[in-house]
């Protein structure tokens, strides 16, 4: 890491945190293999008796798809640059009374990290932190030419929340996240607000969306989508073609976002949440970072991103899910929301 990217505030950890891996629980193992390797174009490895693992780069794990019934994301893994910053994050969590525990050696091995520590996260999604990924010289065997990871981490996570300010406060408290911008959007007559948070040079590692004025969540899964970034435009478009040809469902066609200018499409993973494959988002390097001011964009996309093949049944399922959430409160971790309104 270069000195210029170092946090400005004395104890800030901004810039030293990177989305490292995603843990998914799914019994649809063969669909995941076809989807991840044959359609999206990631490198796949089989873990006997456990599940699958996808690679994007020299890290041995970027997605761990473990056998299990959740059909959802169960944990997010965050790579921390060094031990001093790692200890600072642990102290923040522990000092606020939230239990934090080291993962077992086998769990670390499955996730392709030397060691990991975990604590409670929003919507029941465990947050795991590590400093040392296990890398491999084994060449990538995949349909894509490459993926953009490195300093910007492996991509981003988008979450629909009924407690968006609590969620934003959580990532501010734990990782010193900064607000990149907002998008206001109308979808089927409902007003939606999205907050885009960055923890490094990636325009956002976390996006938090809510419906304005109503505390409902139409999404069954904890994440609405995960984003990964293709190395080239050709890679992104070829994977779009393969997703369609292999019969996987598309959610939104190719389009371009207003705020980070990323070109992308959204397909539906075998577990039901979406995977956004993108290309060429703006990077908030040191120069941009020093003068960045959040703004509000009207609308998610400059062009494209038209919905593909949503059925009446999909709408009905979302409506049922939304009703379910009227009565059950969303899981937050109030100790870590930094005083933002729950
Ligand atoms: Fe996204």
């Amino acid at each position: 890491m270069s000195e210029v990217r170092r946090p400005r505030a004395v104890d800030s950890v901004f810039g030293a945190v990177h989305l490292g891996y995603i843990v998914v629980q799914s019994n649809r193992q063969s669909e995941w293999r076809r989807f991840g390797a044959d359609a999206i174009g990631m490198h796949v490895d089989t873990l006997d008796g456990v599940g699958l693992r996808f690679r994007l780069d020299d890290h041995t794990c970027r997605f761990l798809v473990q056998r299990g019934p959740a059909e959802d994301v169960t944990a997010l893994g965050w790579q921390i640059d060094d031990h001093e910053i790692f200890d600072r994050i642990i102290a923040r969590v522990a000092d606020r009374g939230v239990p934090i525990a080291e993962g077992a050696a086998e769990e670390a091995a499955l996730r392709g990290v030397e060691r990991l520590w975990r604590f409670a996260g929003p919507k029941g999604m465990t947050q795991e932190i590590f400093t040392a990924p296990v890398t491999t010289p084994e060449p990538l065997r995949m349909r894509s030419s490459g993926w953009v990871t490195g300093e910007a981490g492996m991509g981003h996570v988008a979450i629909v929340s009924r407690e968006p300010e609590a969620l934003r406060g959580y990532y501010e408290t734990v990782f010193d996240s900064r607000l990149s911008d907002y998008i206001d959007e109308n979808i089927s007559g409902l007003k939606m607000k999205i907050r885009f948070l960055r923890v490094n040079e990636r325009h956002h590692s976390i996006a938090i969306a809510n419906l304005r004025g109503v505390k409902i969540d139409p999404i069954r899964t904890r994440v609405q989508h995960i984003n990964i970034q293709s190395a080239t435009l050709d890679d992104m478009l070829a994977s779009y073609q393969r997703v369609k040809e292999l019969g996987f469902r598309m959610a939104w066609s190719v389009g371009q976002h207003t705020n980070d200018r990323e070109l992308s499409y959204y397909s539906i993973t075998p577990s039901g949440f979406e995977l956004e494959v993108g290309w060429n988002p703006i990077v908030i390097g040191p120069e941009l970072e020093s003068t960045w001011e959040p703004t509000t964009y009207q609308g998610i996309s400059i062009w494209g991103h038209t919905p593909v093949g949503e059925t009446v049944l999909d709408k009905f399922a979302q409506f049922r899910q939304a009703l379910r959430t009227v009565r059950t409160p969303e899981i937050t971790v109030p100790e870590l929301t930094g005083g933002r309104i729950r």
Side-chain angles (χ1 to χ4, degrees):
M1 225 162 138
S2 62
E3 279 308 306
V4 273
R5 287 194 188 123
R6 277 283 175 227
R8 280 167 294 174
V10 178
D11 66 344
S12 175
V13 303
F14 179 85
V17 178
H18 321 273
L19 185 61
Y21 61 81
I22 311 274
V23 182
V24 175
Q25 200 187 81
S26 175
N27 280 330
R28 298 171 188 155
Q29 292 283 317
S30 56
E31 286 166 79
W32 261 105
R33 172 185 296 277
R34 275 185 77 236
F35 176 78
D38 301 345
I40 301 300
M42 299 186 283
H43 172 106
V44 64
D45 288 311
T46 305
L47 304 175
D48 288 334
V50 175
L52 299 171
R53 215 154 61 172
F54 294 108
R55 283 175 55 202
L56 302 173
D57 53 15
D58 64 347
H59 288 214
T60 51
C61 177
R62 288 300 193 172
F63 288 90
L64 170 63
V65 185
Q66 278 183 304
R67 283 182 197 282
E71 302 304 340
D72 203 348
V73 170
T74 55
L76 301 180
W78 298 94
Q79 184 173 349
I80 312 300
D81 279 345
D82 60 53
H83 286 281
E84 192 258 317
I85 290 170
F86 188 84
D87 290 345
R88 210 182 292 164
I89 294 169
I90 290 208
R92 287 178 182 186
V93 175
D95 289 353
R96 288 169 174 81
V98 173
I100 181 160
E102 185 169 7
E106 312 85 74
E107 293 173 315
L110 287 177
R111 289 154 174 76
V113 296
E114 299 281 353
R115 298 173 72 179
L116 72 96
W117 290 70
R118 61 160 60 96
F119 49 96
K123 298 190 86 172
M125 215 167 3
T126 303
Q127 306 292 301
E128 301 179 346
I129 54 173
F130 66 97
T131 55
V134 177
T135 58
T136 172
E138 194 70 29
L140 290 155
R141 295 178 308 277
M142 60 185 182
R143 289 175 177 237
S144 295
S145 75
W147 303 93
V148 179
T149 55
E151 196 61 44
M154 65 175 281
H156 68 245
V157 177
I159 303 168
V160 174
S161 176
R162 288 170 283 155
E163 307 292 348
E165 289 305 303
L167 222 163
R168 181 178 160 193
Y170 180 96
Y171 284 111
E172 277 179 3
T173 304
V174 178
F175 291 149
D176 293 313
S177 66
R178 296 178 183 171
L179 177 72
S180 294
D181 36 51
Y182 296 105
I183 290 180
D184 290 337
E185 174 71 288
N186 286 307
I187 293 183
S188 325
L190 291 168
K191 283 189 164 55
M192 194 169 72
K193 192 166 197 73
I194 316 174
R195 300 140 193 83
F196 296 83
L197 309 182
R198 68 186 184 283
V199 291
N200 54 51
E201 68 180 24
R202 189 176 286 280
H203 173 276
H204 58 284
S205 292
I206 304 137
I208 305 163
N210 77 306
L211 294 173
R212 299 174 80 172
V214 279
K215 282 199 175 187
I216 57 170
D217 179 354
I219 307 297
R220 178 190 64 81
T221 49
R222 295 179 178 113
V223 304
Q224 194 278 329
H225 72 261
I226 304 280
N227 163 289
I228 53 176
Q229 187 187 338
S230 284
T232 70
L233 179 59
D234 282 355
D235 279 323
M236 192 268 274
L237 296 174
S239 71
Y240 177 77
Q241 237 3 78
R242 289 193 302 265
V243 166
K244 290 205 297 189
E245 281 164 12
L246 291 174
F248 290 102
R249 287 180 64 193
M250 199 61 74
W252 306 82
S253 67
V254 176
Q256 185 172 23
H257 286 302
T258 49
N259 58 346
D260 68 356
R261 305 266 153 171
E262 188 172 37
L263 262 73
S264 68
Y265 72 88
Y266 296 71
S267 59
I268 302 175
T269 68
S271 293
F273 57 86
E274 295 172 13
L275 181 71
E276 177 183 24
V277 176
W279 173 71
N280 202 31
I282 58 165
V283 173
I284 305 183
E287 212 169 305
L288 267 182
E289 182 63 52
S290 63
T291 56
W292 192 269
E293 290 292 340
T295 47
T296 300
Y297 292 84
Q298 300 302 320
I300 293 172
S301 310
I302 303 170
W303 57 268
H305 286 145
T306 46
V308 183
E310 199 180 32
T311 65
V312 176
L313 279 178
D314 293 332
K315 282 261 177 253
F316 189 64
Q318 288 189 352
F319 183 66
R320 262 201 324 219
Q321 167 64 26
L323 282 182
R324 209 171 289 147
T325 61
V326 171
R327 279 181 221 103
T328 43
E330 182 170 307
I331 297 172
T332 59
V333 188
E335 299 91 331
L336 297 179
T337 54
R340 281 190 180 268
I341 312 146
R342 278 202 65 205

